[in-house]
């Protein structure tokens, strides 16, 4: 589904007329409206059809497509095959043909910044026979490295959550917390992004939506007098047993600005005031 064009970068805030780095031109120049690209909230290669128009500047587009490429080629390639993507399926040599990281809830929930959290790996398994039945023939044979770049994975989850939050609350409708993680300016993604052990149906869930095989839910959590916008994401809902993730997308209007100082003092990154 196409939404109205935003004419602004949802990651760095750049607008037409702003001077910024343009990777393909290898130069810094004033941005034109046509420089702004459309953003697939979930990548097209994972059957994502929801699009934000004119929503990414050339520099941010280059950054996000870099880690999305890692995800599409490694962590998610086997999953892509199971959903019938045309790149085909490679029959794996082992029972586990992929891994997804599983994490605790985002550290912001406890109010304590994390420095080195533990995480687990969930093997994705399928029987060779099942895979064979999905495709008439294997159309892409390539060695699987079964690699998992967990930093790329959580930036990927953060990017989906941010795009969904922009669609739901509007650009300017919340104070975004995820762009520094998405753009790779921060490595502490676990403070705002993490697992969701209770699944999509949390206590305060307002909306559950499904776009094809991906489901997400919007929620709000109250902490210290502020309302945080929460996005829960379950990719590949047609596959059993895969983890649900959640990301704290930002602060909803009406918060006391002091909360930003408190979060900052505790080590959480906050947007510059
Ligand atoms: Zn940008």
């Amino acid at each position: 589904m196409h939404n109205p064009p935003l004419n602004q970068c949802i990651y760095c805030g750049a607008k037409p007329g702003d001077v910024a780095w343009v990777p393909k031109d290898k130069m810094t120049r004033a941005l034109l409206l046509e420089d702004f690209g459309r953003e697939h909230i979930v990548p097209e290669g994972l059957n994502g059809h929801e699009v934000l128009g004119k929503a990414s500047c050339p520099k941010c587009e280059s950054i996000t497509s870099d880690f999305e490429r890692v995800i599409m080629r490694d962590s998610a390639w086997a999953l892509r095959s199971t959903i019938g993507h045309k790149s085909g399926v490679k029959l794996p040599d082992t029972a586990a043909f992929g891994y997804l990281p599983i994490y605790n809830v985002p550290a912001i929930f406890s109010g304590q910044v994390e420095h080195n959290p533990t995480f687990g790996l969930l093997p994705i398994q399928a029987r060779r026979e099942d895979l064979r039945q999905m495709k008439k023939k294997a159309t892409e044979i390539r060695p699987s490295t079964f690699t998992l770049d967990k930093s790329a994975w959580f930036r990927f989850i953060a990017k989906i959550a941010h795009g969904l939050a922009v669609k739901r609350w509007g650009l300017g409708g919340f104070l975004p917390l995820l762009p520094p993680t998405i753009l790779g300016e921060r490595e502490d993604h676990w403070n705002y992004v993490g697992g969701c052990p209770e699944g999509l149906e949390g206590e305060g869930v307002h909306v559950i939506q499904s776009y094809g095989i991906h489901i997400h839910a919007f929620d709000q959590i109250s902490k210290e007098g502020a309302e945080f916008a929460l996005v829960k994401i379950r990719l590949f809902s047609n596959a059993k047993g895969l983890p649900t993730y959640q990301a704290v997308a930002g602060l909803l209007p009406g918060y006391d600005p002091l909360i930003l100082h408190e979060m900052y003092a505790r080590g959480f990154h906050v947007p510059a005031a």
Side-chain angles (χ1 to χ4, degrees), residues 56-174:
S56 186
C57 77
K59 184 175 158 213
C60 293
E61 199 162 29
S62 154
I63 294 171
T64 55
S65 60
D66 276 354
F67 70 76
E68 281 190 332
R69 201 174 302 121
V70 171
I71 294 297
M72 302 303 276
R73 287 186 183 167
D74 293 319
S75 310
W77 76 265
L79 293 166
R80 292 168 67 197
S81 296
T82 66
I83 60 172
H85 190 262
K86 61 178 180 296
S87 66
V89 70
K90 172 188 180 298
L91 297 178
D93 294 328
T94 63
F97 66 100
Y99 293 90
L100 290 181
I102 35 180
Y103 252 131
N104 291 328
V105 298
I108 184 80
F109 283 20
S110 71
Q112 296 301 315
V113 70
E114 283 262 18
H115 294 289
N116 194 16
T118 54
F119 74 99
L121 285 177
L122 182 77
I124 312 302
Q125 302 193 333
R127 294 182 309 155
R128 289 172 77 97
E129 303 79 62
D130 293 343
L131 288 174
R132 269 207 185 90
Q133 281 165 10
M134 278 186 289
K135 286 276 166 184
K136 287 196 180 70
K137 59 175 184 176
T139 52
E140 180 187 74
I141 303 293
R142 47 165 290 203
S144 169
T145 53
F146 298 156
T147 56
L148 177 83
D149 181 333
K150 74 174 168 22
S151 169
W153 182 261
F154 281 98
R155 287 171 75 185
F156 174 68
I157 296 294
K159 178 181 177 287
I160 296 171
H162 181 65
L164 288 168
V166 167
K167 181 173 155 49
R168 170 156 172 78
W169 286 287
L171 203 55
F174 66 107

Side-chain angles (χ1 to χ4, degrees), residues 8-15 20 31 36 55-61 63 183:
Q8 183 178 340
C9 180
I10 62 170
Y11 306 112
C12 73
K15 293 178 180 160
L31 297 174
F36 288 74
S56 186
C57 77
K59 184 175 158 213
C60 293
E61 199 162 29
I63 294 171
L183 298 177

